[in-house]
Amino acid sequence: MTMRRFLYKSILLLAAAAVGGFSIANAQETVPEAPVKPVVYVIPFQGEVEAGLYRVLQRGFLEAEEHFATYILLEMDTPGGRVDAALEIIDLILESKIPVAILVTGNATSAGAIVSLAANQVFMKQTTTIGTAAPVMLGGGDQGEAMEAKILSYVLAQVRKICEKRGYSKFKTKLAQAMVDKDIEIKDPDIPGEFITEKGKLLTFTATEAKRYGFITELVRDREEALQYLQIKDSQQILFHDYFLERTARFFASTTVSSLLLTIAFIALFIEFQQPGIGLPGAVALLAFLIFFWGHSIAGLAGWEGPILMMIGILLLTAELLLIPGFGFTGIAGILCIIASVVVTLLQRAPTSPHFYETFTWTDLYSALIVTLVSMLCGLAGALAIPILFPFMVRSPVGSWLVLHEREDRSRGYHAAAERQEEFMGKRGVAKTTLRPAGIAEIDGKRVDVVSQGGFVPPNSAVEVVKVEGRRVVVKSV
């Protein structure tokens, strides 16, 4: 049996085993039975509100349905975050088939306050706060103010929609709007002449104030007391855990790590352009870009727009290098596509996601563009600095493995084959590859490394040797 036939049979056996194992697993899979005790599915709602958190919560809600949960309990401690991510989480809660309760264990400020409105029940611990949910924009000017007014109007409309769906009173609806809009003023219904909030200030409640004005369901000491108010006794509590893959993806998608990955990718890319051919720098650049796009995709921070634009850019640059002479429109378009792929990914949300256009700001675009350009500049500086620093790097214990320490000298019996390049002087041949200006030509039936005198020479063109300088053979098109 030849090695090739052995490999083919091995692959077929492995495929058959995989299919068989999959079939057995499906055959043995049984439909889960509904639990005897009521199930409370507890999902931590911690950290910044962003698209990655939405993706985690989305999986948690699906698992709660698989466990026939009676209630979903979100334990919230968040400083807020992105408005668009908060609105997607709100849609998830409002569309949930299972009732959702929120227990504020730390703070529910900014986007967290808006999310709490969507829950069926809200509980707070004594030392917590809730409120201050206005969308915040960096920058200023007339354009910034107009954009801020647009987003504020949209968020207020979403708040009214949530309150209408949950059947909140006009008073509670106005309290919720006062957390978003600082121009809303509310008088205290119990104390004449006093205001719950005045113009110019965003409304924020302590836990006691939130209970006093009916903004939350009840004050509690812990989860068990919250479940008592939900009238769920002797329940089975299942705590949701995020996957290692999700934590890893969110780590790689963070701003700091993303910037570092981009810098490494651009350093390797610039070095690869200086030394054409798919080598180690090209592989490093490809790996860094793959991790960058993978992290944002798995974390739910981006769609397929970035990778698709990156592939188009690479194809255009490849066509420019191999098929089209010179450097023109195709090469520039390829570079722009690569830059656009990174910028679109750094927007932290796919253009096709809900609430994208309603909450989009130019600040988001500027921030993504600045991170991309700074990473490119750092990559260029790194690529230029590496040849200078390389002699010092190889002397270090870590960098010494990059250098071959043995020499093939004559004392050990090594001899270089004598090559007489002068014999090609004045002779004619055919370019076997594109000369831009270096390439390969066939002269006297031999493949010779040559350099074009006149720049670009297409393959299969007749050439003539006009100069020989040591091992350097210079040709011209004839």
Side-chain angles (χ1 to χ4, degrees), residues 313 316-321 324 326-338:
L316 289 173
L317 285 178
T318 303
E320 180 75 18
L321 291 173
I324 304 172
F327 189 83
F329 174 78
T330 308
I332 295 173
I335 293 174
L336 291 178
C337 281
I338 291 176

Side-chain angles (χ1 to χ4, degrees), residues 97-427:
K97 300 176 183 177
I98 305 171
V100 179
I102 289 179
L103 171 59
V104 181
T105 58
N107 292 303
T109 54
S110 188
I114 303 176
V115 171
S116 68
L117 293 171
N120 299 86
Q121 308 283 346
V122 180
F123 304 95
M124 294 180 69
K125 290 187 176 181
Q126 186 69 48
T127 57
T128 60
T129 59
I130 189 170
T132 313
V136 179
M137 285 185 57
L138 300 176
D142 296 337
Q143 188 179 23
E145 292 178 2
M147 191 71 72
E148 184 174 0
K150 182 201 78 169
I151 298 176
L152 177 60
S153 175
Y154 182 74
V155 173
L156 286 172
Q158 293 296 311
V159 168
R160 291 194 299 271
K161 181 191 77 172
I162 300 167
C163 293
E164 289 174 5
K165 181 145 189 175
R166 289 302 184 208
Y168 294 149
S169 64
K170 291 183 178 180
F171 180 66
K172 184 172 180 178
T173 301
K174 194 170 184 181
L175 290 175
Q177 290 180 300
M179 292 182 176
V180 178
D181 189 355
K182 63 183 179 181
D183 292 330
I184 295 179
E185 187 176 70
I186 303 176
K187 293 183 179 180
D188 193 321
D190 300 325
I191 305 176
E194 292 292 327
F195 290 87
I196 297 176
T197 181
E198 299 178 355
K199 284 187 178 182
K201 295 182 180 179
L202 291 171
L203 177 59
T204 301
F205 280 143
T206 63
T208 304
E209 292 170 338
K211 170 58 181 171
R212 173 187 169 190
Y213 294 110
F215 195 77
I216 62 171
T217 305
E218 193 56 71
L219 297 178
V220 296
R221 291 187 299 273
D222 50 29
R223 183 194 304 166
E224 299 299 331
E225 190 173 354
L227 296 181
Q228 290 179 11
Y229 279 106
L230 292 174
Q231 298 181 350
I232 302 177
K233 298 180 180 179
D234 193 24
S235 63
Q236 176 187 358
Q237 298 179 25
I238 300 177
L239 183 61
F240 170 85
H241 293 285
D242 56 347
Y243 292 147
F244 172 76
L245 190 65
E246 292 171 331
R247 294 195 299 271
T248 304
R250 293 177 72 178
F251 168 76
F252 283 123
S254 63
T255 303
T256 303
V257 179
S258 291
S259 302
L260 182 60
L261 283 172
L262 288 175
T263 301
I264 293 173
F266 284 123
I267 288 176
L269 202 61
F270 287 131
I271 294 176
E272 184 68 20
F273 281 142
Q274 292 174 1
Q275 301 175 354
I278 302 299
L280 180 60
V284 171
L286 181 61
L287 180 62
F289 277 126
L290 284 176
I291 295 175
F292 170 76
F293 288 117
W294 172 82
H296 282 78
S297 177
I298 296 298
L301 303 179
W304 287 100
E305 297 85 359
I308 289 174
L309 282 170
M310 174 62 72
M311 291 177 62
I312 293 174
I314 292 175
L315 289 174
L316 289 173
L317 285 178
T318 303
E320 180 75 18
L321 291 173
L322 301 180
L323 303 177
I324 304 172
F327 189 83
F329 174 78
T330 308
I332 295 173
I335 293 174
L336 291 178
C337 281
I338 291 176
I339 294 175
S341 70
V342 176
V343 172
V344 168
T345 303
L346 288 175
L347 286 177
Q348 302 282 349
R349 48 185 167 163
T352 54
S353 62
H355 312 290
F356 176 82
Y357 293 103
E358 293 84 358
T359 59
F360 173 79
T361 67
W362 291 112
T363 304
D364 298 332
L365 180 61
Y366 296 153
S367 300
L369 192 58
I370 288 172
V371 171
T372 304
L373 294 177
V374 169
S375 299
M376 290 184 68
L377 290 175
C378 291
L380 179 60
L384 295 175
I386 283 179
I388 302 173
L389 299 177
F390 188 77
F392 302 97
M393 293 168 55
V394 297
R395 295 174 187 172
S396 65
V398 178
S400 60
W401 65 272
L402 294 171
V403 181
L404 182 64
H405 296 282
E406 299 293 334
R407 292 190 304 174
E408 299 177 348
D409 51 27
R410 291 182 178 273
S411 62
R412 296 190 176 187
Y414 292 102
H415 298 279
E419 295 187 10
R420 296 174 57 85
Q421 306 288 11
E422 292 80 4
E423 62 180 313
F424 300 122
M425 183 64 191
K427 293 186 177 181

